[in-house]
Amino acid sequence: SQTIHQWPATLVQPVGSPLSLECTVEGTSNPNLYWYRQAAGRGLQLLFYSVGIGQISSEVPQNLSASRPQDRQFILSSKKLLLSDSGFYLCAWITRPIGGYTFGSGTRLTVV
Amino acid sequence: RKEVEQDPGPFNVPEGATVAFNCTYSNSASQSFFWYRQDCRKEPKLLMSVYSSGNEDGRFTAQLNRASQYISLLIRDSKLSDSATYLCVVNTVGGSQGNLIFGKGTKLSVKP
């Protein structure tokens, strides 16, 4: 079966510290993968998407970066976190043939 | 005009009530439409796709009006467990946001 894994579930990090969030999918190959952020009380904001290994498209200029070192692995990183990076980070992949997204369970990041 | 607009609510209804949400989208080239449900502090989950002819899944009915560019979701016989935020989602081929655009959601609270 097709599943998506995301970790950690919760993270508290100090301002200026690095960040690495990992997302992996199983049961599919060459998926389109996405990173979204949802700030408190706000909608989903697309951060990055990837259509293949090493291919990253950035939607919003920011303090974050993404990488796709393997077909089913998508990583979100930051060298120095800001307070404004706090939020709920969600990884997703497109479920075919329907075309909707399946989301991972998310990482709730609080920068203090 | 925002790409996908929803009334944020909250909609406070008693158990057993019928409630309807509307959503408008700006891009007439949009091709696929979805309703997602998001529980508090959880990831969004696909509730149902929306087809041109309208579709029903138990107590839930989704309709699409391409001419007016709106999508609706009707919930009959509301249950306490229906309390959540409902996200309208539009898939636009060639769109810059990785092809899926999310509304900010409509919050539903079903009371006993």
Side-chain angles (χ1 to χ4, degrees), chain B residues 7-67:
Chain B
D7 181 343
F11 284 58
N12 297 308
V13 304
E15 271 188 293
T18 295
V19 61
F21 307 136
N22 288 329
C23 162
T24 58
Y25 60 94
S26 60
N27 190 335
S28 60
S30 298
Q31 297 188 350
S32 302
F33 310 89
F34 309 91
W35 282 102
Y36 275 72
R37 169 193 170 127
Q38 186 173 23
D39 292 298
C40 187
R41 301 180 68 82
K42 297 289 188 180
E43 76 274 21
K45 293 185 178 178
L46 180 64
L47 179 64
M48 59 197 303
S49 302
V50 185
Y51 302 122
S52 296
S53 55
N55 48 299
E56 187 174 307
D57 182 2
R59 297 181 293 108
F60 298 83
T61 300
Q63 294 197 317
L64 167 65
N65 184 319
R66 285 189 184 271

Coordinates of all heavy atoms in Angstrom, one line a residue, chain B residues 7-67:
Chain B
D7 N -15.9 31.1 3.0 CA -16.4 31.7 4.2 C -15.7 31.0 5.4 O -15.8 29.8 5.5 CB -17.9 31.6 4.3 CG -18.5 32.3 5.5 OD1 -17.7 32.6 6.5 OD2 -19.7 32.5 5.6
P8 N -14.9 31.7 6.2 CA -14.2 31.1 7.3 C -15.1 30.5 8.4 O -14.6 29.7 9.2 CB -13.3 32.2 7.8 CG -14.0 33.4 7.4 CD -14.7 33.2 6.1
G9 N -16.3 31.0 8.5 CA -17.2 30.6 9.5 C -16.8 31.2 10.8 O -16.3 32.3 10.8
P10 N -17.1 30.6 12.0 CA -17.5 29.3 12.1 C -19.0 29.1 11.9 O -19.8 30.0 12.1 CB -17.2 28.9 13.6 CG -17.3 30.2 14.3 CD -16.8 31.3 13.3
F11 N -19.4 27.9 11.4 CA -20.8 27.5 11.3 C -21.1 26.7 12.5 O -20.5 25.6 12.7 CB -21.0 26.7 10.0 CG -21.0 27.5 8.8 CD1 -20.0 28.3 8.4 CD2 -22.1 27.4 7.9 CE1 -20.0 29.0 7.2 CE2 -22.2 28.1 6.7 CZ -21.1 28.9 6.4
N12 N -22.0 27.2 13.4 CA -22.4 26.5 14.6 C -23.7 25.9 14.4 O -24.7 26.7 14.2 CB -22.3 27.4 15.8 CG -20.9 27.9 16.1 OD1 -20.0 27.1 16.2 ND2 -20.8 29.2 16.2
V13 N -23.9 24.6 14.3 CA -25.2 24.0 14.0 C -25.5 22.9 15.0 O -24.6 22.3 15.6 CB -25.2 23.4 12.6 CG1 -24.8 24.5 11.5 CG2 -24.2 22.2 12.4
P14 N -26.8 22.6 15.2 CA -27.1 21.5 16.1 C -27.0 20.1 15.4 O -27.1 20.1 14.2 CB -28.6 21.8 16.5 CG -29.1 22.5 15.3 CD -27.9 23.3 14.8
E15 N -26.9 19.1 16.2 CA -26.9 17.8 15.6 C -28.1 17.6 14.8 O -29.2 18.0 15.1 CB -26.9 16.7 16.7 CG -25.5 16.3 17.2 CD -25.6 15.1 18.2 OE1 -26.2 15.3 19.3 OE2 -25.2 14.0 17.8
G16 N -27.9 16.9 13.6 CA -29.1 16.6 12.8 C -29.4 17.7 11.7 O -30.2 17.4 10.8
A17 N -28.7 18.8 11.9 CA -29.0 19.9 10.9 C -28.3 19.6 9.6 O -27.4 18.8 9.5 CB -28.4 21.2 11.5
T18 N -28.8 20.3 8.6 CA -28.2 20.3 7.2 C -27.4 21.6 7.1 O -27.9 22.7 7.4 CB -29.2 20.2 6.1 OG1 -29.9 18.9 6.3 CG2 -28.6 20.3 4.8
V19 N -26.2 21.5 6.6 CA -25.3 22.7 6.5 C -24.6 22.6 5.1 O -24.3 21.5 4.6 CB -24.3 22.7 7.6 CG1 -23.3 21.5 7.6 CG2 -23.5 24.0 7.6
A20 N -24.5 23.8 4.5 CA -23.9 23.9 3.2 C -22.7 24.9 3.2 O -22.9 26.0 3.8 CB -24.9 24.3 2.2
F21 N -21.7 24.5 2.5 CA -20.5 25.4 2.4 C -20.3 25.7 0.9 O -20.5 24.8 0.1 CB -19.2 24.8 2.9 CG -19.3 24.2 4.3 CD1 -18.8 23.0 4.6 CD2 -19.9 25.0 5.3 CE1 -18.8 22.5 5.8 CE2 -19.9 24.5 6.6 CZ -19.4 23.2 6.8
N22 N -20.0 26.9 0.6 CA -19.6 27.3 -0.8 C -18.2 27.7 -0.9 O -17.6 28.2 0.1 CB -20.6 28.4 -1.3 CG -22.0 27.9 -1.5 OD1 -22.2 26.8 -1.9 ND2 -22.9 28.8 -1.3
C23 N -17.7 27.6 -2.1 CA -16.3 28.0 -2.4 C -16.3 28.5 -3.8 O -16.9 28.0 -4.7 CB -15.4 26.7 -2.2 SG -13.8 26.8 -3.0
T24 N -15.6 29.6 -4.0 CA -15.4 30.2 -5.4 C -14.0 30.1 -5.8 O -13.1 30.2 -4.9 CB -15.9 31.6 -5.4 OG1 -15.2 32.4 -4.5 CG2 -17.4 31.7 -5.1
Y25 N -13.7 29.9 -7.0 CA -12.4 29.9 -7.6 C -12.3 30.8 -8.7 O -13.2 31.1 -9.4 CB -12.0 28.4 -8.0 CG -12.8 27.8 -9.0 CD1 -12.5 27.9 -10.4 CD2 -14.0 27.2 -8.7 CE1 -13.2 27.3 -11.4 CE2 -14.8 26.6 -9.7 CZ -14.4 26.6 -11.0 OH -15.2 26.0 -12.0
S26 N -11.1 31.3 -9.0 CA -10.9 32.4 -9.9 C -10.5 32.0 -11.3 O -10.7 32.7 -12.3 CB -9.9 33.4 -9.4 OG -8.6 32.8 -9.2
N27 N -9.8 30.8 -11.4 CA -9.3 30.4 -12.7 C -10.2 29.5 -13.4 O -10.5 28.3 -13.0 CB -7.9 29.6 -12.4 CG -7.2 29.4 -13.7 OD1 -7.7 29.3 -14.8 ND2 -5.9 29.2 -13.6
S28 N -10.8 30.0 -14.5 CA -11.8 29.2 -15.2 C -11.2 28.0 -15.9 O -11.9 27.1 -16.4 CB -12.4 30.1 -16.3 OG -11.4 30.6 -17.2
A29 N -9.8 27.9 -15.9 CA -9.2 26.7 -16.5 C -9.0 25.6 -15.5 O -8.6 24.5 -15.9 CB -7.8 27.1 -17.1
S30 N -9.5 25.8 -14.3 CA -9.4 24.7 -13.3 C -10.1 23.4 -13.8 O -11.1 23.5 -14.3 CB -10.0 25.2 -12.0 OG -9.3 26.3 -11.5
Q31 N -9.4 22.3 -13.4 CA -9.9 21.1 -14.0 C -10.4 20.0 -12.9 O -11.2 19.2 -13.2 CB -8.8 20.4 -14.8 CG -8.4 21.2 -16.0 CD -7.5 20.5 -16.9 OE1 -7.0 19.4 -16.6 NE2 -7.2 21.0 -18.1
S32 N -9.8 20.1 -11.7 CA -10.2 19.1 -10.7 C -10.5 19.8 -9.4 O -9.8 20.8 -9.1 CB -9.1 18.1 -10.5 OG -8.7 17.4 -11.7
F33 N -11.4 19.2 -8.7 CA -11.9 19.9 -7.5 C -12.1 18.9 -6.3 O -12.5 17.8 -6.6 CB -13.2 20.6 -7.8 CG -13.1 21.5 -9.0 CD1 -13.5 20.9 -10.2 CD2 -12.8 22.8 -8.9 CE1 -13.4 21.7 -11.4 CE2 -12.7 23.6 -10.1 CZ -13.0 23.0 -11.3
F34 N -11.7 19.4 -5.1 CA -11.8 18.5 -4.0 C -12.3 19.2 -2.8 O -12.1 20.4 -2.6 CB -10.4 17.9 -3.7 CG -9.7 17.3 -4.9 CD1 -8.8 18.1 -5.6 CD2 -9.8 16.0 -5.2 CE1 -8.2 17.6 -6.7 CE2 -9.2 15.5 -6.3 CZ -8.3 16.3 -7.0
W35 N -12.8 18.4 -1.9 CA -13.1 18.9 -0.5 C -12.2 18.0 0.4 O -12.2 16.8 0.4 CB -14.5 18.7 -0.1 CG -15.4 19.8 -0.6 CD1 -16.3 19.7 -1.7 CD2 -15.5 21.2 -0.2 NE1 -16.9 20.9 -1.9 CE2 -16.5 21.8 -1.0 CE3 -15.0 21.9 0.9 CZ2 -16.9 23.1 -0.8 CZ3 -15.3 23.2 1.1 CH2 -16.3 23.8 0.2
Y36 N -11.5 18.8 1.3 CA -10.7 18.1 2.4 C -11.3 18.5 3.7 O -11.9 19.5 3.9 CB -9.2 18.6 2.3 CG -8.4 17.9 1.3 CD1 -8.5 18.0 -0.1 CD2 -7.4 17.0 1.8 CE1 -7.7 17.4 -1.0 CE2 -6.6 16.3 0.9 CZ -6.7 16.5 -0.5 OH -5.9 15.8 -1.4
R37 N -11.0 17.6 4.7 CA -11.4 17.8 6.0 C -10.1 17.9 6.9 O -9.2 17.0 6.7 CB -12.3 16.7 6.5 CG -12.5 16.7 8.0 CD -13.2 15.4 8.5 NE -13.2 15.4 9.9 CZ -14.2 15.2 10.6 NH1 -15.4 14.9 10.1 NH2 -14.2 15.2 12.0
Q38 N -10.0 18.9 7.8 CA -8.9 19.0 8.7 C -9.4 19.1 10.1 O -10.1 20.1 10.5 CB -8.0 20.2 8.3 CG -6.7 20.2 9.1 CD -5.8 21.3 8.7 OE1 -6.1 22.3 8.1 NE2 -4.5 21.1 9.0
D39 N -9.1 18.1 10.9 CA -9.3 18.2 12.3 C -8.3 19.0 13.0 O -7.2 19.2 12.5 CB -9.4 16.8 12.9 CG -10.6 16.0 12.4 OD1 -11.7 16.4 12.6 OD2 -10.4 15.0 11.7
C40 N -8.6 19.5 14.2 CA -7.7 20.4 14.9 C -6.4 19.7 15.1 O -6.3 18.6 15.6 CB -8.4 20.8 16.2 SG -7.4 22.0 17.2
R41 N -5.3 20.4 14.7 CA -3.9 20.0 14.9 C -3.6 18.7 14.2 O -2.7 18.0 14.5 CB -3.6 19.9 16.4 CG -3.8 21.2 17.1 CD -3.5 21.0 18.6 NE -2.1 20.8 18.8 CZ -1.2 21.8 18.9 NH1 -1.5 23.1 18.7 NH2 0.1 21.5 19.1
K42 N -4.4 18.4 13.1 CA -4.1 17.2 12.3 C -3.9 17.6 10.8 O -4.2 18.7 10.5 CB -5.3 16.2 12.4 CG -5.5 15.7 13.8 CD -4.4 14.7 14.2 CE -4.8 14.1 15.5 NZ -3.7 13.1 15.9
E43 N -3.4 16.6 10.1 CA -3.2 16.9 8.6 C -4.6 16.9 7.9 O -5.5 16.2 8.3 CB -2.3 15.9 8.0 CG -2.8 14.5 7.8 CD -2.7 13.6 9.0 OE1 -2.6 14.1 10.1 OE2 -2.8 12.4 8.8
P44 N -4.7 17.6 6.8 CA -5.9 17.6 6.0 C -6.0 16.2 5.4 O -5.0 15.5 5.0 CB -5.7 18.6 4.9 CG -4.6 19.5 5.4 CD -3.7 18.6 6.2
K45 N -7.3 15.7 5.3 CA -7.6 14.4 4.6 C -8.6 14.6 3.6 O -9.6 15.3 3.8 CB -8.0 13.4 5.7 CG -6.9 13.0 6.7 CD -7.3 11.9 7.6 CE -6.1 11.6 8.5 NZ -6.5 10.5 9.5
L46 N -8.4 13.9 2.5 CA -9.4 14.0 1.4 C -10.7 13.5 1.8 O -10.9 12.4 2.3 CB -8.9 13.2 0.2 CG -9.8 13.2 -1.1 CD1 -9.9 14.6 -1.7 CD2 -9.2 12.2 -2.1
L47 N -11.7 14.3 1.6 CA -13.1 14.0 2.0 C -13.8 13.4 0.7 O -14.3 12.3 0.7 CB -13.9 15.2 2.5 CG -15.4 15.0 2.8 CD1 -15.5 14.0 4.0 CD2 -16.0 16.3 3.1
M48 N -13.7 14.2 -0.4 CA -14.3 13.7 -1.6 C -13.9 14.6 -2.8 O -13.5 15.7 -2.6 CB -15.8 13.7 -1.6 CG -16.5 15.0 -1.3 SD -18.2 14.8 -0.7 CE -19.0 13.9 -2.1
S49 N -13.8 13.9 -3.9 CA -13.6 14.7 -5.2 C -14.9 15.3 -5.6 O -16.0 14.8 -5.2 CB -13.1 13.8 -6.3 OG -11.9 13.2 -5.9
V50 N -14.9 16.3 -6.4 CA -16.1 17.0 -6.9 C -16.1 16.8 -8.4 O -15.2 17.2 -9.1 CB -16.1 18.5 -6.6 CG1 -17.4 19.1 -7.0 CG2 -15.8 18.7 -5.1
Y51 N -17.2 16.1 -8.9 CA -17.3 15.9 -10.3 C -18.3 16.8 -10.9 O -19.2 17.3 -10.3 CB -17.7 14.4 -10.5 CG -16.7 13.4 -9.9 CD1 -17.1 12.5 -9.0 CD2 -15.4 13.5 -10.3 CE1 -16.2 11.6 -8.4 CE2 -14.5 12.6 -9.7 CZ -14.9 11.7 -8.8 OH -14.0 10.8 -8.2
S52 N -18.2 17.0 -12.2 CA -19.0 17.9 -12.9 C -20.5 17.6 -12.8 O -21.4 18.5 -12.7 CB -18.7 18.0 -14.4 OG -17.4 18.4 -14.6
S53 N -20.8 16.4 -12.7 CA -22.2 16.0 -12.6 C -22.7 16.0 -11.1 O -23.9 15.7 -10.9 CB -22.4 14.6 -13.2 OG -21.5 13.7 -12.5
G54 N -21.8 16.3 -10.2 CA -22.2 16.3 -8.8 C -22.0 14.8 -8.3 O -22.2 13.9 -9.1
N55 N -21.7 14.7 -7.0 CA -21.6 13.4 -6.5 C -21.9 13.3 -5.0 O -21.9 14.4 -4.3 CB -20.1 12.8 -6.7 CG -19.0 13.8 -6.4 OD1 -19.0 14.9 -6.9 ND2 -18.2 13.4 -5.4
E56 N -22.3 12.2 -4.6 CA -22.8 12.0 -3.2 C -22.0 10.8 -2.6 O -21.7 9.8 -3.2 CB -24.3 11.7 -3.3 CG -25.0 11.6 -2.0 CD -26.5 11.4 -2.1 OE1 -27.1 12.3 -2.9 OE2 -27.0 10.5 -1.5
D57 N -21.7 11.0 -1.3 CA -21.1 9.9 -0.5 C -21.7 9.9 0.9 O -21.4 10.7 1.7 CB -19.6 10.2 -0.4 CG -18.9 9.1 0.3 OD1 -19.5 8.1 0.7 OD2 -17.6 9.2 0.5
G58 N -22.7 9.1 1.0 CA -23.5 9.0 2.3 C -24.2 10.3 2.5 O -25.0 10.8 1.7
R59 N -23.8 11.0 3.6 CA -24.5 12.2 4.0 C -23.9 13.5 3.3 O -24.4 14.6 3.5 CB -24.4 12.4 5.5 CG -25.1 11.3 6.3 CD -24.9 11.6 7.8 NE -23.6 11.4 8.3 CZ -22.8 12.5 8.7 NH1 -23.3 13.7 8.7 NH2 -21.6 12.3 9.1
F60 N -22.9 13.3 2.5 CA -22.2 14.4 1.9 C -22.5 14.4 0.4 O -22.4 13.4 -0.3 CB -20.7 14.2 2.1 CG -20.2 14.2 3.5 CD1 -20.3 13.0 4.3 CD2 -19.8 15.3 4.1 CE1 -19.9 13.0 5.7 CE2 -19.4 15.4 5.5 CZ -19.5 14.2 6.2
T61 N -22.8 15.6 0.0 CA -23.0 15.9 -1.5 C -22.2 17.0 -1.9 O -22.2 18.1 -1.3 CB -24.5 16.2 -1.7 OG1 -25.3 15.1 -1.3 CG2 -24.7 16.4 -3.2
A62 N -21.5 16.8 -3.0 CA -20.6 17.9 -3.6 C -21.1 18.3 -4.9 O -21.6 17.4 -5.7 CB -19.2 17.4 -3.7
Q63 N -21.1 19.6 -5.2 CA -21.6 20.0 -6.6 C -20.6 21.0 -7.1 O -20.0 21.8 -6.4 CB -23.0 20.6 -6.5 CG -24.0 19.5 -6.1 CD -25.4 19.9 -6.4 OE1 -25.8 21.1 -6.2 NE2 -26.2 19.1 -7.0
L64 N -20.6 21.1 -8.4 CA -19.7 22.0 -9.1 C -20.5 22.8 -10.1 O -21.3 22.3 -10.9 CB -18.6 21.2 -9.9 CG -17.8 22.0 -10.9 CD1 -16.9 23.0 -10.3 CD2 -16.9 21.0 -11.7
N65 N -20.3 24.1 -10.1 CA -20.9 25.0 -11.1 C -19.8 25.7 -11.8 O -19.3 26.7 -11.3 CB -21.9 26.0 -10.4 CG -22.6 26.9 -11.4 OD1 -22.1 27.3 -12.4 ND2 -23.9 27.1 -11.1
R66 N -19.5 25.2 -13.0 CA -18.4 25.8 -13.8 C -18.7 27.2 -14.3 O -17.8 28.0 -14.3 CB -18.0 24.9 -14.9 CG -17.3 23.6 -14.6 CD -16.8 22.9 -15.8 NE -16.1 21.6 -15.5 CZ -14.8 21.5 -15.2 NH1 -14.0 22.6 -15.2 NH2 -14.3 20.3 -14.9
A67 N -19.9 27.4 -14.7 CA -20.3 28.7 -15.2 C -20.1 29.8 -14.2 O -19.6 30.9 -14.5 CB -21.7 28.7 -15.7

